């Protein structure tokens, strides 16, 4: 069966960002693991240095005091001070970097699972509606065939049956007609519901995309803060580490968070503005010109369906005209500053345009069949080249490809162009780690294109 989700641009962009997010999470875990090893080294080194300082102090206590012994006492105090510095550094890394990072990653993991569940539920609704339409169509086709057989029986036996038998047949025909009308309406409503389920899924993808993007920004800032605090603790080591501090000092001064977030937006930018959505069209028994249905009844049935579609098209057109007026009022009157209302109105406009496109495609398809029955010229419509069919088992299904505006937005939030402050001392190995913490992360982050303008009042059908 054809998958209605495969070619959706929203779905492709969301999966692409999830790939970036997974890489970023793996990088963050690796960095946290390295910091934990560094903290363990600092704490163990501090313990060993403290033992040596105590041992030297005891040795000095049993030795006669002189200038040389006093100098060695300063060496012992220096060891104790250095041990204290290493102990504080190890604990600080654990409390200020490792613990917060684990907490944030845990929250992010739960949030991503929740977002994935939302997307999966919405996608299942789209697939379920798609399958329900095909199932309802099959049921309607079978019922229509049975009804036509019954109608043919009634017509052919008018002169050969008794009045009582004729009344019985007419009663059966009436019940069959009511059942057929009910199934027809059910199929029609399921077809219309396809719009709502598709829009709900795409809106869910857009909202979840924004949420994951915010998680990525938060993680970038977390690594920035960890690196900043890390270098501040390193700087207190004093004069003995000053020479080694130059490299990390230069690396930290080159960090620009605003530029890194800009790189995130560019990397995840949407390169394609096409958003083609597939929608099933209604297929009726009456559309088969080779069936055994009475021609007059066939034409009458198609006309009744066209009348129903026309009423819905007129209503949708009125709705669109009202929404266009509202959007014009928003753009021309500075008093309308409620951006949320404008966003909701624009979303309603997109939904109305989509519904109108689908109704017109169904109407065009039925009108073409009716024109062929009545031996009239075929009608013209922009969607004529966007309607396709595929055969599955013994049934032929129709669907239309509708090109729609790509409305996904990305806010240009930033950290205000802050830079990490310089420190007074550090180590060469720490400098290499600090530079890598940001540069390796930012290479796969990106920004997204500006919002595309939605062209009002037009139906966009795209030929594949």
């Amino acid at each position: 069966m054809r998958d209605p989700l495969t070619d959706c641009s929203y779905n492709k962009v969301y999966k692409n960002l999830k790939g970036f997010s997974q890489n970023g999470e793996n990088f963050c875990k690796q960095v946290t693991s390295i910091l934990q090893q560094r903290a363990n080294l600092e704490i163990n080194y501090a313990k060993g240095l403290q033992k040596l300082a105590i041992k030297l102090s005891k040795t000095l206590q049993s030795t006669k005091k002189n200038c040389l012994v006093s100098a060695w006492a300063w060496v012992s105090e220096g060891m104790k001070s250095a041990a204290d510095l290493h102990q504080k550094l190890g604990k600080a890394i654990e409390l200020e970097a490792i613990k917060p990072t684990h907490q944030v990653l845990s929250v992010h993991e739960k949030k991503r699972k929740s977002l994935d569940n939302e997307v999966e539920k919405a996608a299942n609704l789209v697939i379920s509606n798609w399958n329900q339409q095909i199932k309802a169509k099959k049921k309607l086709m079978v019922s229509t065939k049975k009804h036509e057989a019954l109608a043919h029986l009634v017509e052919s036996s008018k002169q050969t049956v008794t009045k009582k038998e004729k009344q019985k047949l007419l009663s059966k025909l009436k019940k069959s007609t009511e059942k057929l009308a009910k199934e027809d309406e059910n199929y029609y409503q399921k077809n219309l519901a396809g719009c709502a389920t598709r829009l709900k899924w795409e809106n869910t993808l857009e909202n979840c995309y924004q949420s994951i993007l915010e998680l990525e920004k938060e993680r970038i800032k977390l690594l920035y803060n960890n690196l900043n605090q890390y270098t501040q603790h390193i700087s207190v080591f004093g004069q003995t580490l000053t020479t080694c501090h130059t490299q990390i000092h230069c690396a930290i001064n080159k960090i620009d968070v605003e530029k890194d977030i800009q790189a995130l937006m560019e990397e995840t930018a949407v390169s394609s503005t096409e958003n083609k959505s597939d929608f099933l069209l209604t297929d009726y028994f009456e559309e088969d010109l080779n069936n055994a249905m009475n021609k007059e009844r066939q034409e009458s049935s198609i006309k009744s369906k066209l009348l129903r579609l026309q009423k819905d098209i007129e209503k949708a057109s009125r709705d669109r005209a009202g929404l266009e007026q509202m959007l014009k009022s928003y753009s021309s009157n500075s008093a309308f500053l409620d951006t949320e209302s404008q966003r909701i109105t624009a979303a309603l406009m997109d939904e109305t345009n989509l519904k109108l496109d689908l109704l017109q495609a169904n109407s065009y398809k039925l009108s073409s069949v009716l024109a062929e029955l009545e031996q009239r010229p075929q009608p013209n419509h922009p969607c004529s080249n966007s309607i396709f069919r595929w055969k599955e088992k013994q049934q032929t299904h129709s669907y239309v490809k509708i090109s729609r505006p790509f409305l996904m937005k990305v806010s240009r939030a930033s950290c205000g162009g802050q830079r990490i402050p310089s420190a007074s001392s550090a180590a060469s190995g720490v400098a290499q780690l600090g530079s890598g913490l940001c540069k390796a992360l930012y290479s796969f982050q990106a920004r997204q294109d500006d919002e595309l303008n939605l062209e009002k009042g037009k139906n966009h059908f795209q030929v594949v």
Side-chain angles (χ1 to χ4, degrees):
M1 178 180 290
R2 180 180 178 82
D3 186 359
L5 312 180
T6 303
D7 297 328
C8 179
S9 300
Y10 288 84
N11 194 32
K12 292 178 181 178
V13 172
Y14 177 74
K15 289 183 177 180
N16 188 36
L17 180 62
K18 279 187 63 179
F20 282 118
S21 179
Q22 185 61 52
N23 290 337
E25 181 183 4
N26 293 339
F27 172 77
C28 198
K29 288 180 178 179
Q30 291 174 5
V31 168
T32 304
S33 175
I34 292 172
L35 288 177
Q36 182 64 66
Q37 295 177 50
R38 173 64 190 266
N40 293 340
L41 286 174
E42 293 292 340
I43 293 173
N44 292 333
Y45 179 75
K47 291 178 179 178
L49 196 58
Q50 185 69 24
K51 289 179 181 179
L52 291 177
I54 293 173
K55 187 175 182 179
L56 178 57
S57 180
K58 289 180 178 180
T59 300
L60 293 174
Q61 289 175 2
S62 61
T63 304
K64 185 177 180 180
K65 298 292 188 278
N66 56 31
C67 293
L68 184 60
V69 171
S70 298
W72 277 105
W74 284 106
V75 173
S76 176
E77 290 299 320
M79 288 184 179
K80 291 179 181 179
S81 298
D84 185 60
L85 286 174
H86 285 284
Q87 179 76 14
K88 288 180 178 179
L89 177 61
K91 293 295 183 182
I93 292 174
E94 287 183 336
L95 294 176
E96 298 176 18
I98 298 172
K99 185 177 179 180
T101 302
H102 281 315
Q103 292 174 346
V104 170
L105 289 178
S106 177
V107 171
H108 283 194
E109 183 177 2
K110 293 179 180 178
K111 180 66 174 177
R112 277 195 296 270
K113 286 183 179 179
S114 175
L115 295 173
D116 287 340
N117 288 336
E118 289 181 28
V119 171
E120 184 178 0
K121 288 180 180 178
N124 288 337
L125 288 176
V126 175
I127 295 173
S128 175
N129 173 266
W130 187 280
N131 294 333
Q132 286 175 12
Q133 287 190 61
I134 294 178
K135 185 177 179 181
K137 172 187 172 180
K138 182 179 179 181
K139 186 177 180 182
L140 179 60
M141 289 290 186
V142 173
S143 296
T144 306
K145 289 180 181 179
K146 291 181 179 179
H147 178 79
E148 287 304 310
L150 182 59
H152 180 73
L153 177 62
V154 171
E155 290 179 0
S156 62
S157 61
K158 285 182 179 180
Q159 307 299 328
T160 61
V161 297
T162 63
K163 185 176 180 180
K164 185 177 180 180
E165 290 174 335
K166 181 179 180 181
Q167 189 65 30
K168 189 176 181 181
L169 287 173
L170 290 174
S171 178
K172 286 184 178 180
L173 183 61
K174 182 180 178 181
K175 290 181 181 179
S176 177
T177 302
E178 292 174 352
K179 178 184 177 184
L180 187 64
K182 184 177 179 180
E183 291 179 357
D184 175 70
E185 182 63 25
N186 179 55
Y187 177 40
Y188 179 76
Q189 293 300 327
K190 279 181 171 26
N191 183 257
L192 292 181
C195 292
T197 54
R198 180 79 181 205
L199 285 172
K200 181 179 178 181
W201 175 59
E202 292 180 353
N203 289 336
T204 301
L205 282 173
E206 180 177 357
N207 294 334
C208 292
Y209 178 94
Q210 296 292 341
S211 298
I212 290 181
L213 199 59
E214 291 302 320
L215 294 181
E216 288 301 293
K217 294 176 184 177
E218 183 180 347
R219 189 169 50 76
I220 288 176
K221 293 177 182 178
L222 172 67
L223 286 174
Y224 162 81
N225 291 332
N226 288 346
L227 185 59
N228 188 23
Q229 293 173 352
Y230 181 88
T231 56
Q232 288 178 355
H233 285 292
I234 290 293
S235 66
V236 302
F237 269 74
Q239 188 64 37
T240 55
L241 299 177
T242 300
T243 304
C244 300
H245 171 68
T246 303
Q247 290 178 327
I248 190 171
H249 178 74
C250 295
I252 296 303
N253 283 338
K254 293 179 181 178
I255 293 177
D256 188 338
V257 175
E258 180 67 21
K259 183 177 180 182
D260 293 328
I261 290 182
Q262 184 75 7
L264 162 71
M265 312 300 272
E266 291 175 353
E267 194 67 27
T268 57
V270 180
S271 59
S272 173
T273 59
E274 290 186 343
N275 177 31
K276 300 174 185 176
S277 300
D278 293 355
F279 294 93
L280 281 174
L281 296 176
T282 54
D283 293 312
Y284 297 102
F285 178 81
E286 294 88 330
E287 296 180 64
D288 185 2
L289 300 180
N290 297 321
N291 61 33
M293 189 175 184
N294 180 275
K295 183 177 180 182
E296 292 181 0
R297 195 163 52 252
Q298 190 175 11
E299 291 178 0
S300 175
S301 178
I302 291 177
K303 287 178 181 179
S304 67
K305 289 175 170 56
L306 281 171
L307 181 60
R308 177 176 59 184
L309 283 166
Q310 186 59 36
K311 290 179 180 179
D312 284 348
I313 288 172
E314 290 174 357
K315 182 180 181 302
S317 297
R318 290 193 299 270
D319 292 343
R320 184 174 67 178
L323 291 170
E324 285 178 346
Q325 188 62 36
M326 290 177 66
L327 290 173
K328 287 180 181 178
S329 299
Y330 287 142
S331 60
S332 61
N333 193 341
S334 59
F336 292 105
L337 299 177
D338 188 356
T339 55
E340 181 64 17
S341 297
Q342 295 184 39
R343 186 191 66 80
I344 293 174
T345 304
L348 288 174
M349 173 65 83
D350 179 50
E351 181 178 356
T352 303
N353 283 332
L354 175 60
K355 181 178 180 181
L356 191 57
D357 290 344
L358 182 59
L359 290 171
Q360 290 179 344
N362 275 317
S363 178
Y364 165 75
K365 190 164 73 72
L366 284 176
S367 298
S368 299
V369 176
L370 184 61
E372 191 168 349
L373 283 172
E374 296 178 345
Q375 296 182 349
R376 293 186 288 104
Q378 288 289 324
N380 294 322
H381 196 274
C383 73
S384 60
N385 293 327
S386 299
I387 295 177
F388 305 91
R389 292 175 177 83
W390 89 94
K391 195 165 186 179
E392 187 175 24
K393 295 183 179 178
Q394 295 181 348
Q395 285 192 345
T396 300
H397 307 287
S398 303
Y399 69 98
V400 62
K401 277 190 173 291
I402 301 177
S403 181
R404 299 165 53 214
F406 197 79
L407 302 177
M408 190 174 288
K409 302 176 183 177
V410 178
S411 59
R412 297 181 177 276
S414 68
C415 297
Q418 297 179 359
R419 291 178 178 272
I420 302 178
S422 60
S424 61
S425 63
S428 173
V430 177
Q432 297 173 359
L433 174 61
S435 177
L437 284 174
C438 287
K439 290 183 179 178
L441 171 65
Y442 300 147
S443 62
F444 63 82
Q445 299 298 328
R447 64 178 285 271
Q448 192 177 23
D449 290 336
D450 293 330
E451 178 186 5
L452 301 172
N453 292 325
L454 173 59
E455 193 171 329
K456 304 173 184 175
K458 294 183 179 179
N459 300 326
H460 299 284
F461 293 89
Q462 183 73 28
V463 179
V464 177

